[in-house]
Amino acid sequence: ASGAPDVESALVLARADSPELAVVDLRMPGRGGLELVRELLAIDPTTRVVVLTGYGSIATAIEAMRLGAVHYLQKPANTD
């Protein structure tokens, strides 16, 4: 498992070794999590992306799913 503090760092990791699963925060320093969803799936369309956010809205949930996220969870989220 790897972690990245921002979109650019996450993309470096994904290009080196595309993840099977990515948990993406909606708000990140610099570019946002929705941009990361788009970029991760451009690198590898089989990556399963889960968006996790404390700032959820219907609009961002719809956009995340439209971009290819498999789940959209609001914080706090439990393991169930």
Side-chain angles (χ1 to χ4, degrees):
S2 298
D6 55 40
V7 172
E8 286 72 25
S9 300
L11 292 175
V12 168
L13 291 172
R15 287 183 187 112
D17 185 18
S18 179
E20 290 182 39
L21 174 67
V23 178
V24 174
D25 200 340
L26 193 61
R27 289 200 178 173
M28 304 174 78
R31 294 170 37 192
L34 290 177
E35 289 185 55
L36 180 55
V37 171
R38 180 183 299 111
E39 298 272 350
L40 287 173
L41 293 172
I43 292 168
D44 183 350
T46 67
T47 298
R48 294 173 47 96
V49 179
V50 174
V51 174
L52 179 65
T53 183
Y55 304 94
S57 72
I58 292 171
T60 56
I62 290 170
E63 182 66 8
M65 301 305 280
R66 186 187 70 75
L67 290 172
V70 296
H71 292 290
Y72 182 94
L73 304 172
Q74 287 191 299
K75 295 176 188 175
N78 63 41
T79 57
D80 292 335

